[in-house]
Amino acid sequence: MALELSTRIKAIAPSVTLAIDAKAKQLRAEGKNVIGFGAGEPDFPTPEYIRNAGKDAIDRGQTRYTPVAGTLLLREEICRKFQRDNNLTYKPENIVVSNGAKQSLFNALSAILNPGEEVLIPAPCWVSYPEMVRMAWGEPVFVHTSEENHFVPQLSDIEKAITPKTKAIIVNSPSNPNGCVYPTEVLEGIARLAVEHGFYVISDEIYEKLIYDGEQHVSIAQLSDAIKEQTIIVNGVSKSFAMTGWRIGYTASPAHIAKAMTSFQSHATSNANSIAQHAASVALADSGEVMHEMVAEFSARRVLLTESINDIPGLSANLPKGAFYVMVNISALIGKKHGDTVIDGSSAFAEELINSKQVAVVPGLAFGTDNHVRLSYAVSRANIMEGMRRLREFVNELV
C-alpha cells in the first residue's frame, strides 16, 4: 500500500513555464531546431565586472555561511539602491536576502498568512503566485483584468473582491505575463484600499528596470508612510543584471516582518549563496547603468515581435510597456483544427505548435486566461523572425 502524500502538496500544480522549457530542451537534445519563446530570463551574459566579483569572492575565501538575512555589505547596498532609485529609506534590519525573488515571495506569504486567509491576485498573473499562496495555507482570489485596459486592474474590481478574510494583495508592475505597468493613480487607489481595509501589499518589482517608452517605475511604498508600513517589496538581481542563475532576491519591509521572514528562512534554507551575495553587492553599486544596452535591445525586440504578431490574421497583441513578455490573443482560432487536433484552448494551441513547428510558447491557461498564450522576447531578433514565420505557417494550416 502506497503511503499518502500531504493534501497540500497534492493541490499544487507544477510550473507550466518550467515544463515548457523542459519540453523545448528535450526536443533540442533530439536534434530539433526549437525556437523557444517560453524563457523567463535575459539571453544576455552576466556582465563581466559582476562575474569577476564572483571570482574575487572565491579567491578571497568568501565561501562560508553568512548571516541568514544576508551580508551586511549587501543589505547596505540594497538600502542605497532603494534610496537612489525609489526615494525609499530602509535600514539593513528591514532587508532579507534570499535564494531568488521566488523564495522572497514565499517567505513573505509564509510570514503573514494564516490558514484560509485570502490574497488578491490580479489576473492574468505569474503562474507561481496562486500556488505559493496555497503552499502558505492561504486562498488565492483572482481579480480579473481586461486586455482592453492593457491588463491593469480596475480599482472597483479590487474593492469588490475584498472580504474580512483578505490579508494581502500581490502587485506586479511591470508585470509577468502581460508587460503592463500600473499607473500611479491605480497604485494610489490600491494603497488607499489597503490602508482602509487593513491588508498587506506584496509588491513584486523584479522587472523594475525593464521598462520602455518613457514609462516610470513607481513603488507603491513611495506613496505614503502608512502604505510603506503595510508593504513588502520583493526585488532581486536576476532580470535587471542578467543574473538568473546566481539566485539572489531580497525583500524590504517593516522590521518585525523582516525578522519573521529571517526566522522562517533560517529553518528553510539558511543564507543565500555567499559568493553570489558579493557579486550582487557589486552589481547593485553600479545602479544598472551597464544594462542600458540590454534594455534598449529588449525594447526593439518587443516592437518587432508585437508588430509581427499583429500581422498574422487571427492573432493580436498589445504593445507591452515593461518586462519582456507579450500576451497573444488566440480567441479567433479556438475551435479550429490542425490536422486531427482541435484547438480548444491555449494548452492545445501550445502543444500542437511545439510538436508540429518546434515553436515553444506558454499557454495562457497557466496564467488565468485560456484565450491567450505568452511569448517572451528574451530571444534574438533572428529567432523572433524565424519563430514568427513558423507561427504564421501554423495559423495558415488551421481549418
Side-chain angles (χ1 to χ4, degrees), residues 66-76 97 274 277-278 281:
T66 76
V68 171
T71 65
L72 181 60
L73 173 66
L74 177 53
R75 285 181 288 141
E76 287 177 338
V97 177
S274 60
Q277 285 191 61
H278 179 71
S281 69

Side-chain angles (χ1 to χ4, degrees), residues 203-224:
S203 184
D204 183 353
E205 303 179 13
I206 193 68
Y207 294 98
E208 169 189 17
K209 297 291 187 180
L210 303 181
I211 199 164
Y212 319 110
D213 296 340
E215 292 282 339
Q216 296 295 313
H217 171 73
V218 175
S219 175
I220 194 168
Q222 294 174 245
L223 300 178
S224 72

Side-chain angles (χ1 to χ4, degrees), residues 218-285:
V218 175
S219 175
I220 194 168
Q222 294 174 245
L223 300 178
S224 72
D225 289 340
I227 192 59
K228 183 184 177 188
E229 286 303 302
Q230 293 175 214
T231 298
I232 303 169
I233 298 176
V234 176
N235 210 323
V237 297
S238 294
K239 315 298 182 179
S240 300
F241 295 95
M243 294 177 67
T244 51
W246 297 74
R247 308 311 303 136
I248 295 293
Y250 55 84
T251 54
S253 65
H256 70 285
I257 302 176
K259 183 177 180 180
M261 289 190 288
T262 301
S263 179
F264 179 84
Q265 182 168 298
S266 72
H267 295 292
T269 60
S270 191
N271 61 274
N273 181 288
S274 60
I275 299 156
Q277 285 191 61
H278 179 71
S281 69
V282 172
L284 288 169

Side-chain angles (χ1 to χ4, degrees), residues 330 334-336 338 341-356 361 363-365 370 373 394 398:
I330 63 167
I334 292 178
K336 294 191 174 187
H338 187 260
T341 302
V342 177
I343 307 299
D344 58 2
S346 61
S347 295
F349 183 96
E351 185 171 0
E352 188 66 12
L353 180 61
I354 194 170
N355 287 336
S356 65
V361 302
L365 185 62
D370 208 20
V373 294
F394 175 77
L398 297 176

